Amino acid sequence: MAATAAQVAVVRERGRAADVAGVLVLGACVLWSLVSATERDARPEGVLLAVLALSAGYACGRISGTLLPVSAAAVASLAALGLALASGPGVPGATPFDSVRPGDTGATVALLVLAAGAACCAAPAARPGSGRLALRALALAVAGSALMLGSVAGFVAVIGVLLCSLAAVRMRRRLLGLAGLALATGLAVGATWAVAEERLPEGLAVSLEGQLTSHRVLLWQDALALAKENPVLGVGPDRFGVLSPTARETLPSDGKPHSAVLQQAAEQGVPGVVLLGAAYGWMLWGLWSSPRTTAVVLTAGAGLTALAAVAMVGNALSFTPVTAGAGLLAGLAAARAAQAPTEADPADRGDRGDRTDETAWRGETDWRDRTDRGDRTAWRDGTDRGHRTAWKDGTDRAD
């Protein structure tokens, strides 16, 4: 029992450290956006809004995940799915110029990924039986919605999250799973950079360019060129559309390079890229230190990794509902769910002796109808067994 209490204390300490790290990372993101915008015609409001949405979503996830871990995740999934289905001409929270057609690699796919991730997070936390089946069916419904919207990328991403959720049930070491997800994100970043640098083999480059479109590749190359010219401070937040030749020649244009990492590199320099990676790493750290089950943690990690992959080839993080949803998903998986009394708090459970959960007590004074399997034994006939006996009249007799 002492060992269990020590383990709970370690988990809580890890959670506090992750919370402190999150405050520092998000604060640094805000500070650096203001520094990179100094003495320039830059607009850091978009970065500030994204950080605010992420923080608010994370806080709401932590609170709702503590009170209603299954219901909150299910409602979040339905809300994200509803936003994705309703985002024909655009996504709520976006500017009028940030139009995203259904099926485009962007906010719609990101919302579908978040919907699937939330549903799959709720499934392991639900009771076995119809509840879990219904939540898995909800994830399949999200995949079907992606096909209905004409988004093959969204369908693949949602199915990937669902398969990872099923595999996570059998995993016991969350650190290994999270390391694999981080590696997958790193490979996505490297592939994006390689395409922009034209470092891939010709056949593979042509194939990827056909999937990504030559226009997007030209935007990436412009972003990389701006990053090389201003490696430290970048050109300033929200200035890519003004300085990119490809963006200026495109009408209408949203002024984004359609890659989160290349946008950070162009507008905020190398430190901006480092901070973006630190924000993702902080989320994974929070999942690793979470008291939730490994299945929930790895499912949320898979959803966030799929979202990161979408953000590498789109402008998903430019939309407030997406950043808020990412924070919400991470918060739900990192919440300390309110449960029945745990091993760390025997007083709340009426525990006696050195036992953990072998005997359920009805109260502190009613021992007559229960048999103790610890150092003491209470018998209904009053016979003394072990070190202590509780008599039927309630009188305690010690040896």
Side-chain angles (χ1 to χ4, degrees):
M1 187 172 182
T4 303
Q7 292 174 357
V8 172
V10 169
V11 170
R12 288 179 177 174
E13 188 63 29
R14 288 175 180 172
R16 294 191 189 99
D19 293 340
V20 172
V23 172
L24 295 177
V25 169
L26 296 181
C29 291
V30 170
L31 179 61
W32 186 251
S33 68
L34 296 176
V35 170
S36 61
T38 303
E39 297 182 355
R40 302 179 184 186
D41 186 19
R43 295 180 292 274
E45 294 86 355
V47 178
L48 302 181
L49 180 60
V51 173
L52 178 62
L54 180 66
S55 304
Y58 187 78
C60 289
R62 290 286 294 268
I63 296 172
S64 59
T66 298
L67 300 176
L68 300 167
V70 178
S71 300
V75 170
S77 176
L78 292 173
L81 178 59
L83 283 175
L85 294 175
S87 64
V91 174
T95 65
F97 302 101
D98 289 334
S99 178
V100 177
R101 297 187 303 275
D104 285 354
T105 301
T108 303
V109 176
L111 289 170
L112 292 172
V113 167
L114 292 172
C120 292
C121 276
R127 293 181 178 179
S130 59
R132 288 187 180 180
L133 290 177
L135 291 167
R136 303 288 188 197
L138 176 58
L140 288 175
V142 174
S145 300
L147 289 179
M148 184 183 68
L149 293 173
S151 174
V152 177
F155 175 78
V156 171
V158 170
I159 292 297
V161 173
L162 179 58
L163 292 178
C164 288
S165 173
L166 295 175
V169 176
R170 299 184 176 275
M171 291 197 67
R172 295 295 177 265
R173 296 184 178 274
R174 65 178 63 181
L175 182 59
L176 182 61
L178 293 174
L181 295 174
L183 178 61
T185 303
L187 291 175
V189 173
T192 302
W193 206 279
V195 170
E197 284 275 20
E198 297 182 335
R199 295 294 180 86
L200 296 177
E202 183 177 355
L204 180 59
V206 172
S207 176
L208 288 177
E209 185 173 344
Q211 298 293 325
L212 297 170
T213 72
S214 58
H215 178 262
R216 181 178 278 111
V217 174
L218 290 175
L219 290 173
W220 290 2
Q221 292 173 350
D222 289 349
L224 193 58
L226 292 174
K228 290 180 178 179
E229 293 175 4
N230 304 271
V232 179
L233 292 176
V235 298
D238 204 24
R239 295 194 69 207
F240 174 81
V242 177
L243 300 177
S244 167
T246 304
R248 290 201 306 266
E249 295 170 1
T250 304
L251 293 176
S253 173
D254 58 6
K256 310 292 183 184
H258 290 259
S259 175
V261 65
L262 292 177
Q263 181 174 350
Q264 284 292 98
E267 296 183 346
Q268 299 186 44
V270 175
V273 176
V274 172
L275 289 173
L276 180 63
Y280 175 73
W282 159 64
M283 288 187 175
L284 293 186
W285 185 8
L287 294 177
W288 173 70
S289 60
S290 169
R292 303 294 296 276
T293 64
T294 299
V296 173
V297 165
L298 293 182
T299 299
L304 293 174
T305 300
L307 176 60
V310 171
M312 291 303 106
V313 296
N315 62 339
L317 298 185
S318 299
F319 296 90
T320 303
V322 174
T323 51
L328 181 64
L329 179 60
L332 286 170
R336 295 172 177 82
Q339 303 174 0
T342 62
E343 295 84 356
D345 193 4
D348 293 340
R349 197 181 50 193
D351 198 8
R352 298 292 184 270
D354 294 332
R355 295 165 293 101
T356 55
D357 57 358
E358 299 171 28
T359 304
W361 292 82
R362 285 197 272 183
E364 296 181 358
T365 58
D366 186 8
W367 289 19
R368 291 175 295 174
D369 298 332
R370 307 281 174 158
T371 302
D372 192 354
R373 296 292 192 270
D375 293 334
R376 294 173 274 175
T377 305
W379 293 79
R380 296 183 61 182
D381 60 1
T383 307
D384 190 357
R385 296 291 186 271
H387 300 296
R388 185 168 299 192
T389 304
W391 295 75
K392 286 198 287 184
D393 60 2
T395 306
D396 190 15
R397 296 289 187 272
D399 290 343

